[in-house]
Amino acid sequence: MRAAILRAYGEPLAVRELPDPEPAPDGAVVSVDACGVCRSDWHAWAGHGEWANDRVPRGQVLGHEPAGEVVDVGDEVDRFRPGDRVVVPFSLGDGTCPHCRRGAGNVCEDGRALGFEAAAPGAFAERVAVPAADYNLVERPEWLGATAAAALGCRYMTAYHALAERTTVGGGDAVAVHGCGGVGLSAVQIAAALGARVIAVDVDDDALALATEFGAAETVNPASLPEEDDSVPERVRDLTDGGADVSLDALGIAETCRNSVRSLRPRGTHVQVGLTTDAERGEVSLPTDWMTRWEISFVGSRGMPPTSYPDLFALIEATGIDPGDLVARELSLSEVSDRLAAMDEYEATGVEVVTDFEG
Ligand SMILES: [Zn+2]
Ligand SMILES: [Zn+2]
């Protein structure tokens, strides 16, 4: 099979022939019809994470947002068989630990991150192996095509878990979204679908225009703030009559994280979704006295457990939102490197999906 491999940090991926994967006894092999390209791939490709001893190893097949069809299953697999249409969450659980059994496979103690570690080769490839298939694979409804499912596979489900499960956004809430890349735009669309009034924040007017299309009621560009509200939190508090009920940092830089916390009303909830870069090295200082004074909650959120997909599918069906709307561009395997390089400059808007594995 053809696969795109990380050879050296910051250098073009090598597209090569690799042997087809075999399923483990409890695993499956999925032929990949679509796989999204995301900021996490960029972090991996750029070699971030050395400070946390968490660099993605060279030789890794990247790609963690696949949708496709099962082509082979191991002897122990009961729920799936060849021909089943599936989507694969990037945070793979072992299916047996206490967290998995409580429905939180995304924080599995023995979990694997698809496309980020040697034990879990990724899906910028014609085929991908999935361990603990009965637990991890998600059946794809008839109405969900592979490209839209790939757009849903990481950022969309991450945004859903953050807004609907780590906190409970509902009708009439004011939700601020800081950073309108893939996960931020997904959060805008989902928060609006959940009935919230959404304030989208980004330094890029094109990203804000997309956010408006996806349901943001207001937008804030820090570069062009009115004089009377000269900081992002002031502007958000002004637009929400005292602060957002929920604020989400989709980017993970110190400034957006602190701005998000400071955008909240008393007793509001900040949800951290973006991971930091080499600049913050995993730590951001926060206004803890202020957070204590106003009973602010700070919540981390990572991916989504496979067991939550039916709820997300139900929301999509009930509200008519379409994760496929986020797809800005379809790519071939050999184009991935250029698109990763473009993220150095934050050039990518919307979600880009590999759909051609022969090119
Ligand atoms: Zn992703
Ligand atoms: Zn587990």
Side-chain angles (χ1 to χ4, degrees):
M1 65 166 187
R2 294 182 86 225
I5 300 155
L6 175 68
R7 247 185 338 189
Y9 302 116
E11 298 292 322
L13 303 178
V15 177
R16 288 214 187 114
E17 279 291 327
L18 290 181
D20 284 349
E22 297 281 333
D26 70 347
V29 173
V30 172
S31 78
V32 183
D33 292 322
C35 182
V37 183
C38 136
R39 195 143 198 92
S40 305
D41 296 311
W42 174 80
H43 282 301
W45 169 78
H48 292 159
E50 193 178 15
W51 43 273
N53 204 12
D54 192 26
R55 256 181 158 183
V56 170
R58 279 175 290 207
Q60 180 74 36
V61 178
L62 297 177
H64 60 278
E65 308 182 354
E69 208 171 281
V70 174
V71 287
D72 201 358
V73 296
D75 293 343
E76 295 166 17
V77 174
D78 293 324
R79 292 181 52 227
F80 293 91
R81 49 185 187 170
D84 287 346
R85 293 150 38 92
V86 292
V87 56
V88 185
F90 69 86
S91 46
L92 300 167
D94 62 5
T96 58
C97 78
H99 304 296
C100 285
R101 281 180 304 185
R102 281 190 202 115
N106 59 324
V107 294
C108 176
E109 287 167 0
D110 193 28
R112 293 178 196 167
L114 181 70
F116 297 109
E117 53 187 284
F124 291 152
E126 289 175 290
R127 293 184 173 205
V128 64
V130 180
D134 279 337
Y135 184 76
N136 288 310
L137 282 182
V138 177
E139 196 184 334
R140 191 149 48 89
E142 269 305 310
W143 48 263
L144 186 63
T147 306
L152 178 145
C154 167
R155 289 157 281 195
Y156 213 73
M157 56 95 144
T158 294
Y160 177 79
H161 181 61
L163 295 171
E165 298 186 323
R166 297 294 290 141
T167 180
T168 48
V169 167
D173 283 348
V175 174
V177 175
H178 299 259
C180 293
V183 75
L185 288 174
S186 304
V188 167
Q189 199 179 52
I190 287 165
L194 291 167
R197 183 166 165 273
V198 183
I199 295 90
V201 183
D202 201 283
V203 292
D204 178 35
D205 283 331
D206 292 341
L208 290 175
L210 278 175
T212 303
E213 243 175 73
F214 293 146
E218 306 275 359
T219 60
V220 176
N221 186 333
S224 52
L225 284 171
E227 241 170 67
E228 65 275 18
D229 298 315
D230 69 344
S231 75
V232 169
E234 269 179 68
R235 183 70 184 144
V236 173
R237 287 207 295 270
D238 194 44
L239 290 169
T240 54
D241 199 21
D245 298 280
V246 171
S247 188
L248 180 145
D249 176 19
L251 200 56
I253 60 175
E255 190 184 358
T256 51
C257 176
R258 281 194 286 261
N259 280 348
S260 173
V261 168
R262 289 272 194 190
S263 299
L264 291 165
R265 65 158 168 78
R267 310 194 74 203
T269 301
H270 163 89
V271 190
Q272 187 64 38
V273 167
L275 295 171
T276 66
T277 67
D278 280 1
E280 294 84 11
R281 299 187 159 227
E283 295 196 6
V284 172
S285 69
L286 292 171
T288 52
D289 288 356
W290 184 86
M291 291 163 72
T292 303
R293 169 69 183 85
W294 298 110
E295 296 197 333
I296 299 299
S297 299
F298 188 105
V299 172
S301 190
R302 174 185 187 257
M304 182 177 84
T307 40
S308 297
Y309 275 83
D311 293 338
L312 172 55
F313 291 153
L315 177 73
I316 294 172
E317 268 207 290
T319 60
I321 53 173
D322 182 2
D325 287 348
L326 294 159
V327 178
R329 190 163 165 175
E330 295 188 25
L331 309 173
S332 68
L333 205 51
S334 52
E335 286 176 295
V336 174
S337 295
D338 284 348
R339 300 315 298 157
L340 291 176
M343 287 189 197
D344 277 342
E345 307 296 331
Y346 289 85
E347 266 175 27
T349 44
V351 170
E352 305 192 341
V353 179
V354 180
T355 52
D356 172 9
F357 292 84
E358 283 161 16

